[in-house]
Amino acid sequence: MRQKLLQSWQKISHIGTNDEMSYLDIMRLKILNQLTVSIIFIILLFIIKTLFEGEEDIYVLFIILVFSSAILPFHYFKMYQPARMYWAIYFPLLLTAATMLYGRGVGANTAFFIFITTSMFLFDNFRNQVLANLFIIVLFLGSMYYTNFYESPYADITDDGDIILMFIITAVGVSTIILTFIQEIRKYIKELENKNNSLSTAYEEIERFSYISSHNLKTPVRTIRSFTDLIERDIKRGKTEHISEYLEYIKQGSEQMQYLINDILEYSKISQDKHIELESVDLNKAMSFIASQAQIGATKPIELQISDLPIIESNRTLINAVFQNLIENAAKYNDKPSVEISVSYKLASKMHVFSFADNGIGIDKVYHDKIFGMFERLHSDPNIVGTGIGLAMSKRIVERLGGSISLISEVGKGSTFFVELPV
Ligand code: ADP
């Protein structure tokens, strides 16, 4: 019950807010919505009081109730400026009318403070703030003047209860404004702190990333440079028998550079703090495409066993990249005459768990964490193409999707990688 009430309060507070709004505008909207709901509640209290006392002016209160609720539809239809004007004009006028009709005994004057306070943060420029306050002061003085020189028609039906009620209303109103203000500012500071922390982590990562990227790019450049020097030397000496071999090394070096550049670009794309679009992804379809791709590029037979996979809410491109990388690795790091890969799925404690088991060369336990680092490769076999980015990227993707990646493996006995994604 309490939870439901809180949720409704939150929902009403957020009427008219959207993600593109500035923090200050959201705060203004929330405060106005909350005050409007409080005023509606107070008018309802007056209606109940009037009902009990059997007085006849109840229909007036209903009209006031309708007019006082107008801020909410204004916000709902994104009419923000009219909502603020309405707030700053309608309610002070209402208070003035109440004082004129019921006399000072109704205690409406204290409630002017709510509008003095709100006009300070509702309007951006100083001129509007001053105008709003002048308007309130004029109304206040006007109502004083009126009650001094004229008889209020319903003065006799007010009592001390009205003054107390008005005092409570003002106190609650001003406290609501200040409390919401403080709460929102606290939230804003916390968010800023978090952003600041993630910015410094991102900055450190960029530094590390550019350091290792340039370091890794230097290796193929060095290879290309050395072999072009050798070719130049041989040509000068009139020797040509090694040139095609040197050219092969240059080709390999430039290919390696191309892979590196592509992978680095891919990695930095997913590293950027972009919003990930979620969609419904049929993993059976995705997997059969990845499997057919793996067969095309294979130099030896690949036996792929894929269990029935689910349709999940995820990002097709990202999840494809992870699964493709795991299948490619399972086929690449394999010394058996026939590659065996088995992909299976289970649902465990609100997580989709996918496993990729292979009969490959396996990975020593000491490297199980290391292989997820950027540019980490355990094999120097020149026949196995790679950049050491695949697993680092997979880890980054899976973590950005709210999941995790791990493995169990033993040298010579194959490896099983586990990808866990939240349901
Ligand atoms: P790459 O394949 O480009 O070298 P990865 O980041 O995908 O880079 O893999 C990092 C390293 O982890 C690989 O170089 C390899 O040594 C090891 N590795 C990855 N997958 C497997 C596997 N299924 N079996 C054995 N070793 C693997």
Side-chain angles (χ1 to χ4, degrees), residues 325 329-330 332-333 358 361-363 371 376-379 385-392 415 417:
N325 183 48
N329 279 354
K332 258 193 321 188
Y333 302 105
D358 64 55
I361 54 176
I363 304 163
I371 52 166
E376 294 293 354
R377 303 200 70 202
L378 306 180
H379 310 276
V385 203
T387 54
I389 299 180
L391 284 180
S415 320
F417 283 82

Side-chain angles (χ1 to χ4, degrees), residues 58-174:
I58 194 141
Y59 67 94
V60 181
L61 284 173
F62 275 110
I63 295 171
I64 293 173
L65 182 73
V66 173
F67 275 97
S68 305
S69 319
I71 300 282
L72 300 179
F74 270 132
H75 281 170
Y76 184 80
F77 293 109
K78 304 194 177 358
M79 296 157 76
Y80 306 120
Q81 199 58 26
R84 286 178 202 170
M85 301 289 281
Y86 187 82
W87 173 269
I89 295 171
Y90 166 75
F91 284 108
L93 277 177
L94 182 68
L95 287 178
T96 312
T99 312
M100 284 160 80
L101 287 171
Y102 296 94
R104 290 185 200 178
V106 79
N109 287 341
T110 49
F112 275 117
F113 273 106
I114 300 179
F115 302 96
I116 299 261
T117 322
T118 45
S119 64
M120 296 314 284
F121 74 85
L122 275 190
F123 299 104
D124 279 320
N125 65 44
F126 185 62
R127 194 189 60 143
N128 286 352
Q129 290 170 344
V130 171
L131 277 179
N133 276 343
L134 274 179
F135 177 64
I136 293 167
I137 291 166
V138 167
L139 288 182
F140 170 75
L141 293 176
S143 62
M144 285 288 106
Y145 177 83
Y146 180 90
T147 44
N148 248 343
F149 294 101
Y150 300 94
E151 187 82 14
S152 302
Y154 304 110
D156 52 323
I157 59 168
T158 59
D159 53 33
D160 280 357
D162 295 309
I163 296 182
I164 293 170
L165 204 59
M166 268 301 176
F167 180 78
I168 295 172
I169 294 168
T170 312
V172 170
V174 174

Side-chain angles (χ1 to χ4, degrees), residues 178-302:
I178 295 173
L179 265 181
T180 315
F181 215 78
I182 293 173
Q183 263 175 6
E184 292 296 316
I185 284 179
R186 272 209 196 115
K187 226 162 66 188
Y188 186 55
I189 292 174
K190 185 99 210 117
E191 234 167 70
L192 271 185
E193 275 172 3
N194 288 347
K195 275 202 183 129
N196 207 6
N197 284 346
S198 55
L199 265 184
S200 27
T201 322
Y203 180 71
E204 275 166 29
E205 197 165 291
I206 287 170
E207 253 190 337
R208 208 172 59 91
F209 182 72
S210 40
Y211 172 76
I212 30 188
S213 304
S214 60
H215 177 82
N216 276 270
L217 280 169
K218 271 183 203 151
T219 317
V221 171
R222 214 179 297 124
T223 312
I224 295 170
R225 179 72 222 229
S226 330
F227 285 104
T228 46
D229 281 351
L230 285 177
I231 292 174
E232 194 183 22
R233 189 197 65 188
D234 279 11
I235 287 174
K236 272 184 193 155
R237 289 181 185 168
K239 280 170 43 180
T240 52
E241 69 263 34
H242 294 301
I243 287 186
S244 59
E245 186 192 330
Y246 297 158
L247 281 173
E248 190 50 39
Y249 284 121
I250 292 176
K251 216 168 103 190
Q252 274 178 15
S254 51
E255 266 171 7
Q256 176 70 5
M257 243 171 89
Q258 205 169 1
Y259 289 134
L260 267 169
I261 292 168
N262 282 347
D263 283 1
I264 289 171
L265 277 179
E266 285 300 312
Y267 183 86
S268 57
K269 250 195 253 162
I270 60 130
S271 293
Q272 282 159 17
D273 200 18
K274 267 195 280 172
H275 172 69
I276 295 180
E277 289 292 333
L278 291 185
E279 60 206 316
S280 169
V281 188
D282 184 343
L283 292 174
N284 282 316
K285 266 194 202 158
M287 209 55 210
S288 65
F289 177 73
I290 294 170
S292 63
Q293 290 292 103
Q295 306 281 6
I296 293 169
T299 49
K300 51 186 166 185
I302 299 181

